[in-house]
């Protein structure tokens, strides 16, 4: 006997005005990219141009976040039975890969400039970086609430926060160059921005790849989940259990549960208790639970295979 408990189709942790804030943040970022490219060319600052490149990926992140924000709310259909909940995770993963490519380009250009540092206009460099800092900080504050529990929007926020930190570094570097005349500081700043880009990409790649590969959701332990289910009165055993994420904020579970030979009315009460524990303790809202009255040879073979893998 199979019992199912499904979260609401297209369920999305909505925050009022998130879609509008994403669109406005995207528009402001695109305008600033133009300003930063012009400023970087006039100042001959690789640090500003590198930051402009980072802002291009920020604009892409915001665009994908805006697209995924609405795509995730679309209901399932005949071909997309889970809906589009992973659109946000996929966009975050692709965007993080783009960051790694960008960092490699910045390192290459920085190396070339370290050998022959050109003169840099520090005033333009400092002024543009200051504008960038306040822009990035404003976007972070606008999207911070919506980023909790949403990997896609969180990736966009991390991008903006990284750029805000990078802008501070550019401002400090511009001041040091104005005092000392050491123009090698500009490519060194670019290298630091490249390292910052790699740092912002690492966490997003790890978490999004885990979701795409249907790994155990971050923060959950398989033993804790099975132990909690076995605490329910009427549950004799739990096996052949699988837990994965449909999206960064939506977890699913399937398993076999061994119970006594009970009428459907009694087994329904057990199912309700199990689902309440899964949702309240572990935020697992989509479950497929198969009740069994005798041991299942297939599931037992599966459990044995898991144990062998753990020993190796």
């Amino acid at each position: 006997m199979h019992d199912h408990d499904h979260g609401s189709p297209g369920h999305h942790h909505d925050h009022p005005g998130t879609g509008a804030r994403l669109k406005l943040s995207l528009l402001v970022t695109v305008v600033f990219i133009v300003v930063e490219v012009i400023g970087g060319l006039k100042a001959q600052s690789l640090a500003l141009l590198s930051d402009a490149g980072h802002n291009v990926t920020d604009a892409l992140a915001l665009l994908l976040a805006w697209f995924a924000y609405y795509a995730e709310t679309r209901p399932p259909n005949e071909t997309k039975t889970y809906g589009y909940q992973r659109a946000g995770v996929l966009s975050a993963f692709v965007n993080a890969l783009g960051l790694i490519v960008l960092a490699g380009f910045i390192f290459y250009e920085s190396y070339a400039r370290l050998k022959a540092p050109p003169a840099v206009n520090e005033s333009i460099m400092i002024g543009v970086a200051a504008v960038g800092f306040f822009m990035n900080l404003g976007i972070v504050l606008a999207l911070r609430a919506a980023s909790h529990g949403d990997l896609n929007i969180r990736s966009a926020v991390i991008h903006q926060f990284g750029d805000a930190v990078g802008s501070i570094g550019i401002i400090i570097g511009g001041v040091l160059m104005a005092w000392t005349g050491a123009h090698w500081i500009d490519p060194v700043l670019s290298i630091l921005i490249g390292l910052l880009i790699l740092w912002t990409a690492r966490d997003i790649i790890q978490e999004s790849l885990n979701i795409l590969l249907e790994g155990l959701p971050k923060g959950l332990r398989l033993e804790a989940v099975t132990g909690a289910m076995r605490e329910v009165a009427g549950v004799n055993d739990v096996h052949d259990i699988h837990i994965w994420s449909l999206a960064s904020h939506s977890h699913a579970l399937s398993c076999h549960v061994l119970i006594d030979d009970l009428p459907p009315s009694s087994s329904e009460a057990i199912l309700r208790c199990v689902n309440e524990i899964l949702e309240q303790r572990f935020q697992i809202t989509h479950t497929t639970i198969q009740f069994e009255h005798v041991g299942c040879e297939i599931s037992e073979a599966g459990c044995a295979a898991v144990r062998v893998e753990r020993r190796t």
Side-chain angles (χ1 to χ4, degrees):
M1 179 175 66
H2 285 81
D3 287 281
H4 303 268
D5 181 71
H6 303 276
S8 303
H11 178 64
H12 195 283
H13 288 255
D14 190 34
H15 294 267
T18 297
R21 292 179 183 182
L22 283 170
K23 287 191 288 186
L24 180 60
S25 299
L26 173 61
L27 177 61
V28 172
T29 301
V30 170
V31 171
F32 180 69
I33 288 171
V34 176
V35 173
E36 197 165 30
V37 169
I38 294 174
L41 292 174
K42 286 189 174 182
Q44 298 191 67
S45 171
L46 179 60
L48 277 183
L49 293 174
S50 299
D51 199 50
H54 192 190
N55 272 306
V56 169
T57 64
D58 288 345
L60 178 61
L62 290 167
L63 177 62
L64 293 174
W66 175 75
F67 166 77
Y69 178 79
Y70 289 105
E72 289 177 6
T73 63
R74 295 180 61 184
N77 55 43
E78 292 182 356
T79 58
K80 304 292 187 299
T81 56
Y82 274 130
Y84 295 82
Q85 296 189 59
R86 284 192 177 169
V89 178
L90 182 60
S91 70
F93 179 71
V94 172
N95 186 54
L97 292 180
L99 282 175
I100 294 176
V101 174
L102 174 65
F105 176 76
I106 291 173
F107 293 149
Y108 174 79
E109 287 295 323
S110 299
Y111 173 74
R113 287 210 173 196
L114 276 173
K115 293 189 294 185
V120 177
N121 188 316
E122 300 89 353
S123 299
I124 296 177
M125 182 178 174
I126 294 171
V128 173
V131 173
F133 170 76
F134 288 109
M135 181 203 71
N136 295 134
L137 185 61
I139 294 176
V140 168
L141 294 176
L143 298 178
R144 183 178 57 180
S147 68
H148 297 300
D150 193 312
L151 176 62
N152 183 49
I153 296 180
R154 182 161 66 88
S155 71
V157 170
I158 289 176
H159 276 245
Q160 298 295 331
F161 179 76
D163 261 359
V165 175
S167 295
I168 294 175
I170 292 174
I171 293 171
I172 295 174
V175 172
L176 290 176
M177 280 191 287
W179 283 353
T180 65
H183 294 291
W184 56 264
I185 293 176
D186 184 66
V188 169
L189 282 173
S190 302
I191 293 174
L192 294 177
I193 292 173
L195 294 174
L196 179 64
I197 290 172
L198 292 179
W199 180 81
T200 59
R202 179 184 60 87
D203 183 58
I204 299 300
I205 286 179
Q206 287 180 343
E207 189 170 346
S208 58
L209 190 60
N210 184 61
I211 293 175
L212 293 174
L213 293 177
E214 299 191 343
L216 189 70
K218 184 178 180 180
L220 291 185
R221 291 191 306 110
L222 194 64
E223 296 82 1
V225 176
T226 55
M229 294 175 68
R230 289 183 178 124
E231 293 175 1
V232 175
V235 172
N236 298 327
D237 191 24
V238 178
H239 54 265
D240 201 22
I241 183 169
H242 304 277
I243 308 173
W244 68 100
S245 294
L246 303 175
S248 58
H249 52 264
S250 177
H251 306 318
L253 173 147
S254 69
C255 69
H256 294 190
V257 174
L258 184 64
I259 63 174
D260 294 332
D261 191 358
L262 301 172
S265 57
S266 299
S267 63
E268 176 66 25
I270 296 175
L271 176 67
R272 187 166 55 252
C273 290
V274 169
N275 281 323
E276 286 178 358
I277 285 180
L278 290 174
E279 182 172 2
Q280 293 173 5
R281 293 193 191 180
F282 308 104
Q283 290 73 55
I284 298 174
T285 56
H286 185 115
T287 63
T288 300
I289 298 175
Q290 177 174 315
F291 282 156
E292 299 171 349
H293 310 307
V294 294
C296 174
E297 293 182 1
I298 296 178
S299 65
E300 287 172 358
C303 290
V306 171
R307 287 196 293 269
V308 170
E309 291 176 358
R310 287 181 178 175
R311 284 198 298 267
T312 60

